[in-house]
Amino acid sequence: MALAALAAVAVLSIGFGARFLSPAEVWSGLWDPTAQSYRIVHEMRLPRTLLGLMVGMALGLAGAIMQALTRNPLADPGLLGINAGAAAGVASAAVFFGVGTFYGYVWFALGGAAAVTALVYAVGGGRSATPARLALAGAALNATLYSYVSAILLSDSQAIEKVKFWTAGSLASADFATVQRLLPFFAGGLLAGLLVARPLNALSLGDDAARALGARPSVIRGAVIVAVTLLCGGATAACGPIVFIGLLIPHMVRPFTGPDLRWLLPYTAILAPVLLLGADVLGRVLGSPGELQVGTVTAVLGGPLFLYLVRAAK
């Protein structure tokens, strides 16, 4: 069912745009170089869809493993400031160093994401962190970093032109080059995130119980930080800060899979792109003949959806 939903939304993502493509046109555009839709699919729609798949998986998986590590149901790369750290790194690169390429951005994004991940965890209390302290530390850093991003971009009109769509969270500039460049960071973060599923299950019982089961808590925490840094840093460098994906999807999946991360993480990785690509398609439909940026749509949809989930869980 989850894979069917992902396939359906991928077809919609390729089909919707300035010119609508039927499922038959999508199929022929994918495989037949002589088809009229071939150029539209391969030059515009397919790279956008692939980037949405990767970014959705990255943000959903990062949110799920952060919630497991911190035992905080509100943990999310956006709400805890990790995306803001990556955004601050990219904005600094654009304004102070004139960087304008993905490979230039990504290293600053990774550095910003890593620094904020470690800082939120430390300020929130480390091993004794509580959900409330982590949420407060993340909210404070989030507000500070986005204020910094706004301030430095307003001081440089050329930088604003470079990143104006990126700051809203957008898939509009996707191309195969960006997809290929993101792939190593995405693959590394995805592998690290899935590999920590069993150790995180042990860590959820407490450090002492985890050690008794053969796990090493410090190594697990380090692996999670590496995974979150690669996933969030790469995703933010590619298409800007996008919120609520990593917060909502684990909550939506958990009633069906239970708390076992060996099931939760794979299902989150499959369903997170469904939400992101669905929001992107909705933005194209509502904003026609232009489009609403996907980061704007997820922000508008995320609040009410999360409130509904909170009320339904009572």
Side-chain angles (χ1 to χ4, degrees), residues 94-134:
V95 172
F96 300 124
F97 302 101
V99 175
T101 64
F102 174 81
Y103 267 144
Y105 286 152
V106 71
W107 304 110
F108 288 88
L110 292 174
V116 173
T117 301
L119 190 57
V120 166
Y121 191 65
V123 172
R127 296 180 184 180
S128 60
T130 64
R133 290 181 65 179
L134 285 169

Side-chain angles (χ1 to χ4, degrees), residues 283-296:
R284 280 181 262 173
V285 172
L286 295 178
S288 182
E291 66 178 79
L292 296 175
Q293 305 307 319
V294 65
T296 303

